[in-house]
Each structure stands twice: as C-alpha cells, then as structure tokens.
C-alpha cells in the first residue's frame, strides 16, 4: 500500500491509499480519483512531506505489527463493521436520494437503504434534514458481483 497526498483544482488537499503507483495511475485514468470535498476529477499528486527519522538517541517504540499488517487488519475490521451495518439494508442504486427523501417525508415506509447519490444530491438531502451518512468503503452493487 502507498499513500499519496492529492490536491484538486479547487485547492482541497487530501490523502488516498493505493496498492501501488500503477494503481493510482490506472484509477486516475478511469476517472475514479475524485476530491471527497467537491467531487472534482481534476486531481493531481501534491507535494508530500518526507518521513524523516528521529535523532539517533530518540527512538520511538517499535510497532508490534508491521505497518502493512496493521493497515490490513484495520481495513478488514472496517469492512466487517460496514457489512454488519448494511445487514438488512436494501440496495436502491441511483434511486437513493429519491427513496431517502420519500421516507423522510412519510411518502414511503421507512426502511434501511443504501445506494448511490451525487455530491449535489447528498448535500441537498442534508440541507433538507434527511438523515444520511456516507459509507467509508465502496459497495459493489448486487447485480455487478461475479
């Protein structure tokens, strides 16, 4: 895994993890690298501060697990928590905003749902007081699974 500091054309700086530099280039070419704050696809690598070791007499305690193993464990725990949170939730795809709004207004029976919404749709839902939250990890739509 490799972490890059990225910057969008709106000036937002954020971190993103990739399997390799080639994975970053591939995802960027496919338009998958987007700013989480403004949804801009005009994203480039930002200048990163180097990880400089401490002076010889100031050693930090060694981690109990190598960093990649800790990262894998943390991502696995996050994936498990998200899967548990989505149990019993219905995938509604791109109709998420309309369904969530209808439930909020009492036009449809409330039920746990998850799906896709654009940044503009999500902002509108929040402004209307509709309780929504982004998922930390991507969800593969049921019809897209192998």
């Amino acid at each position: 895994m490799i972490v890059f500091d990225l910057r969008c054309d709106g000036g937002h700086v954020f971190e993103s993890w990739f399997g390799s530099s080639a994975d970053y280039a591939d995802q960027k070419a496919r338009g998958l690298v987007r700013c989480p704050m403004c949804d801009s696809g005009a994203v480039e690598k930002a200048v990163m501060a180097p990880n400089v070791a401490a002076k010889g007499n100031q050693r930090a305690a060694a981690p109990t697990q190598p960093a990649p193993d800790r990262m894998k464990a943390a991502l696995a725990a996050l994936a498990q928590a998200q899967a548990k949170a989505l149990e019993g939730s219905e995938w509604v795809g791109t109709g998420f905003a309309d369904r969530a709004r209808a439930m909020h207004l009492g036009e449809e029976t409330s039920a746990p749902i998850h799906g896709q919404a654009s940044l503009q749709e999500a902002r509108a839902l929040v402004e209307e007081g509709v309780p929504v939250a982004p998922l930390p990890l991507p969800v593969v739509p049921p019809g897209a699974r192998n």
Side-chain angles (χ1 to χ4, degrees):
M1 297 293 285
I2 187 168
V3 65
F4 289 126
D5 284 342
L6 303 176
R7 178 186 306 270
C8 75
D9 59 348
H12 301 115
V13 178
F14 55 98
E15 285 185 351
S16 195
W17 288 84
F18 298 91
S20 66
S21 292
D23 286 346
Y24 163 77
D26 176 59
Q27 290 181 32
K28 184 168 178 1
R30 294 187 299 150
L32 300 176
V33 180
R34 304 194 68 81
C35 175
M37 285 152 278
C38 67
D39 200 36
S40 171
V43 175
E44 298 297 330
K45 291 181 188 175
V47 177
M48 295 176 62
N51 185 4
V52 179
K55 288 184 169 183
N57 63 350
Q58 296 177 348
R59 294 187 183 243
T64 57
Q65 252 181 333
D69 290 343
R70 288 194 324 261
M71 180 57 67
K72 286 179 187 177
L75 285 173
L78 183 59
Q80 186 178 18
Q82 179 172 300
K84 183 162 179 59
L86 292 179
E87 285 178 7
S89 179
E90 177 188 0
W91 169 261
V92 295
T94 57
F96 177 80
D98 292 334
R99 294 278 305 271
R101 186 175 287 110
M103 289 179 195
H104 180 70
L105 296 173
E107 298 168 355
E108 189 173 320
T109 303
S110 290
I113 60 170
H114 63 284
Q116 297 173 327
S118 69
L119 184 59
Q120 293 78 15
E121 289 173 322
R123 283 184 178 154
L125 289 171
V126 169
E127 288 172 4
E128 294 170 30
V130 179
V132 295
L135 295 172
L137 298 173
V139 174
V140 178
R145 293 184 185 137
N146 289 338

